[in-house]
Amino acid sequence: MHQLDHLADVARSAVRIGTELIKTTRPHTVTEKADRDTFTEVDVQIEREIRNYLAEATPKIGFVGEEEGRSDANTDSPYVWGLDPIDGTANFVHGVPLCGVSLALIQGDRTVIGVISLPYLDLHYSATLSGGAFVNGRKLEASKTAELAKSIVAIGDYALGEDAAAKNRQRIDLTAELASTVERIRMFGSAAHDLAWLAEGRIDGAIVMSNQTLDLAAGVLIAREAGAIVLDSTGDNHTTASKHTIAAAPRIANQLLTLVQSAILKST
């Protein structure tokens, strides 16, 4: 078996640990880590259990998690596992069934394996670099929509914490641009949902005005392997170093990029 195929099997097994915990556990402790940005004991439990599983299954590969940070293996491996144990924690806390486990195998500034599970919806996505993207075993293909006026576009949450007001002026300008252009705007509260559903053709575009690597790494690969275009606001291909995330069906990618650039310019 090719190494990436084997590691993809490992990743899917790891994510199943988180899937079961989300489905069978409710949070009792909600801790604030920044202004209105929280985590729960379930986030931490999932991260620890997946970290331990991967340390045993792939001892030569390092790991970084959203809640407890990095634990490097004693190795020269070019790879590192990156985990968001619950993407959409606020939804999880409030009982909104839009949250997921997102695990990526990252090499340098690109993802080579991405796995996302949406436990409450029983949707399980995965992709390997140049190997296609799949949901529950079915091959994915991004939307063929050619017009923004016929497109559903998801946007990421508004900013919290330091400089939130300034950041949100940009997001509000973007929302106004979208509202006058696209068929519908959606805010699911989870980048994993945004990018997985873009890959599946449920939506036609997804915009995140920040670039939190652990939130996005798996979904960016899954979207790309389904044929979507994923860019930075500069128009360059999106990487882990990008500032913004503009992901779209191929035929509307440039239109959506232009719209985002216009909103950024207006708010500066």
Side-chain angles (χ1 to χ4, degrees):
M1 179 182 289
H2 188 277
Q3 183 187 23
L4 283 187
D5 291 335
H6 167 68
L7 291 173
D9 286 341
V10 170
R12 285 187 285 267
S13 295
V15 166
R16 279 196 290 272
I17 295 169
T19 298
E20 289 307 309
L21 283 168
I22 287 175
K23 291 172 72 173
T24 59
T25 310
R26 292 299 303 148
H28 297 292
T29 304
V30 180
T31 304
E32 189 165 300
K33 55 185 175 182
D35 173 36
R36 292 168 289 160
D37 188 10
T38 60
F39 69 94
T40 73
E41 81 281 7
V42 184
D43 294 74
V44 175
Q45 182 182 359
I46 291 171
E47 186 167 313
R48 288 177 179 172
E49 292 197 19
I50 290 179
R51 181 195 301 264
N52 291 339
Y53 172 82
L54 291 172
E56 183 173 342
T58 59
K60 295 184 178 181
I61 298 177
F63 177 94
V64 58
E66 183 166 285
E67 307 307 338
E68 296 191 316
R70 193 175 188 105
S71 57
D72 284 318
N74 296 319
T75 177
D76 294 325
S77 172
Y79 301 127
V80 63
W81 293 110
L83 174 70
D84 186 349
I86 304 180
D87 186 64
T89 297
N91 287 348
F92 177 62
V93 169
H94 287 271
V96 177
L98 300 179
C99 61
V101 185
S102 181
L103 178 66
L105 186 64
I106 301 167
Q107 181 182 27
D109 64 356
R110 66 177 185 172
T111 303
V112 296
I113 293 171
V115 178
I116 290 172
S117 175
L118 309 183
Y120 295 127
L121 304 178
D122 197 27
L123 293 170
H124 311 286
Y125 301 82
S126 64
T128 57
L129 186 65
S130 301
F134 300 84
V135 57
N136 296 358
R138 175 175 59 82
K139 190 171 176 60
L140 293 173
E141 185 175 6
S143 160
K144 298 186 184 303
T145 300
E147 299 176 48
L148 285 180
K150 296 180 180 178
S151 301
I152 293 180
V153 177
I155 58 174
D157 285 334
Y158 288 110
L160 305 172
E162 187 177 357
D163 296 328
K167 293 175 182 176
N168 283 331
R169 281 195 294 273
Q170 189 176 83
R171 288 159 171 77
I172 290 166
D173 285 339
L174 172 61
T175 302
E177 293 267 7
L178 288 168
S180 64
T181 308
V182 303
E183 181 179 349
R184 292 291 187 275
I185 302 169
R186 296 290 180 258
M187 184 184 283
F188 300 119
S190 162
H193 280 75
D194 294 350
L195 291 167
W197 284 355
L198 172 66
E200 197 172 358
R202 292 173 182 256
I203 62 174
D204 307 292
I207 302 168
V208 182
M209 297 303 285
S210 60
N211 191 27
Q212 303 297 323
T213 298
L214 299 182
D215 294 352
L216 295 163
V220 166
L221 179 66
I222 291 167
R224 279 184 170 146
E225 288 295 322
I229 306 297
V230 189
L231 304 169
D232 193 357
S233 56
T234 59
D236 296 321
N237 282 330
H238 185 279
T239 72
T240 56
S242 294
K243 185 175 183 180
H244 302 123
T245 306
I246 300 99
R251 297 174 71 184
I252 63 165
N254 286 336
Q255 300 170 62
L256 198 60
L257 173 65
T258 299
L259 186 150
V260 173
Q261 290 173 331
S262 172
I264 291 172
L265 186 62
K266 185 180 295 185
S267 63
T268 55

